Amino acid sequence: MTTIEDYGKYETAWCPGCGNFGILNALKQALVNCDLPPHRVLLVSGIGQAAKAPHYLRANVFNGLHGRSLPAAIGARLANPELTVIAESGDGCLYGEGGNHFLAALRRNLDLTILAHDNRVYGLTKGQASPTSQQGMVTKTQPHGAFPPPFNPLAVAVTMGASFVARGYAGKLEQLSELISKAIKHRGTALVDILQPCVSFNKINTFQWYQEHCYELPPEHDPTDRDQALRVALEFGENLPLGIIYQTQRPLFEEQFTPLKHGPLARQEVSRPKLEEIMQQYR
């Protein structure tokens, strides 16, 4: 049986009180809840404070370029469908630099989990406005306030036909670990957007602010009703719903790849005559 200790305990580079600590603890608990041993888990991240989270877990890790966690996660999943693949980065990395990859992943519906640490700023580079920053938010590089309206990842995900869309909060660990557990168990691409206070560079969306503006979805919310899910997802201002916004079932992208029917690529034998035949076609 998998335990919390299996995933290790490491010193971090995060600020005291950072919301990342809560997300890291919730993820560990979720992996234990799913009884996943570390050797069966791959965590893929890009660049940023959130993208350091996989460094603090004893599991397989790939730390790539800024915004490029999802292409690497998709490639790994296609090469070895026996791995549980989790892409974990911040709102800037996933929704900004990796925006196009985010849309493509939702459309393809591979069996992977996306955890977005959404602190509404670029924390690693000292607090510039990110795609999800509130309109008018003043930072060192936006002294007159951020002009664009914030990117709404949940509404986009529901619209793009994502098969699992949820929002958690780093200040509600029990609910967050449960959401991550359900996302990992979901068969398809699962997005968990996690509201995360940045205690150093976001003085607006603090723990107190989230306590006052978040609410848990009521039992009567039907996550299989797409129209209802979209209405809930569009609540992206003073009221922020927590829970599973939308869930459905769609065919997996990797099921359409004939070679994967024989198992992970690494376990398949290479046919030298067949390879030579293919190479001849390019000469």
Side-chain angles (χ1 to χ4, degrees), residues 55-95:
H55 300 184
Y56 310 135
L57 285 156
R58 186 187 296 129
N60 301 296
V61 172
F62 182 91
N63 195 188
L65 300 174
H66 206 1
R68 303 296 179 262
S69 60
L70 286 172
I74 290 170
R77 173 65 194 173
L78 288 175
N80 187 357
E82 293 182 357
L83 272 177
T84 294
V85 181
I86 299 171
E88 185 174 20
S89 266
D91 47 301
C93 191
L94 284 168
Y95 304 147

Side-chain angles (χ1 to χ4, degrees), residues 147-187:
F147 294 124
F151 176 78
N152 185 332
L154 301 190
V156 170
V158 174
T159 305
M160 294 297 294
S163 57
F164 184 102
V165 182
R167 177 187 284 129
Y169 167 45
K172 289 185 177 291
L173 297 192
E174 186 175 349
Q175 185 200 36
L176 179 57
S177 66
E178 185 179 346
L179 283 176
I180 295 174
S181 300
K182 290 179 177 176
I184 291 171
K185 292 175 182 175
H186 174 75
R187 200 166 180 274

Side-chain angles (χ1 to χ4, degrees), residues 36-55:
L36 283 169
H39 71 276
R40 287 183 52 203
V41 176
L42 171 65
L43 294 143
V44 186
S45 63
I47 297 296
Q49 292 292 359
K52 293 178 182 175
H55 300 184

Side-chain angles (χ1 to χ4, degrees), residues 89-206:
S89 266
D91 47 301
C93 191
L94 284 168
Y95 304 147
E97 283 80 1
N100 185 48
H101 302 306
F102 176 66
L103 299 180
L106 298 178
R107 291 175 59 216
R108 288 169 177 156
N109 196 42
L110 283 95
D111 194 2
L112 60 88
T113 301
I114 304 171
L115 303 181
H117 296 221
D118 191 350
N119 63 6
R120 302 185 169 195
V121 290
Y122 283 94
L124 184 68
T125 46
K126 314 302 183 191
Q128 298 92 337
S130 80
T132 55
S133 293
Q134 284 187 211
Q135 199 167 25
M137 180 177 179
V138 175
T139 75
K140 292 177 182 174
T141 51
Q142 284 85 22
H144 303 292
F147 294 124
F151 176 78
N152 185 332
L154 301 190
V156 170
V158 174
T159 305
M160 294 297 294
S163 57
F164 184 102
V165 182
R167 177 187 284 129
Y169 167 45
K172 289 185 177 291
L173 297 192
E174 186 175 349
Q175 185 200 36
L176 179 57
S177 66
E178 185 179 346
L179 283 176
I180 295 174
S181 300
K182 290 179 177 176
I184 291 171
K185 292 175 182 175
H186 174 75
R187 200 166 180 274
T189 298
L191 166 67
V192 185
D193 180 77
I194 306 168
L195 302 173
Q196 175 227 328
C198 175
V199 295
S200 296
F201 300 111
N202 187 337
K203 303 300 184 184
I204 298 174
N205 308 115
T206 61

Side-chain angles (χ1 to χ4, degrees), residues 257-273:
F257 278 74
T258 303
L260 294 183
K261 293 180 180 176
H262 306 293
L265 296 181
R267 293 185 191 166
Q268 296 183 35
E269 293 186 8
V270 176
S271 170
R272 297 292 176 187

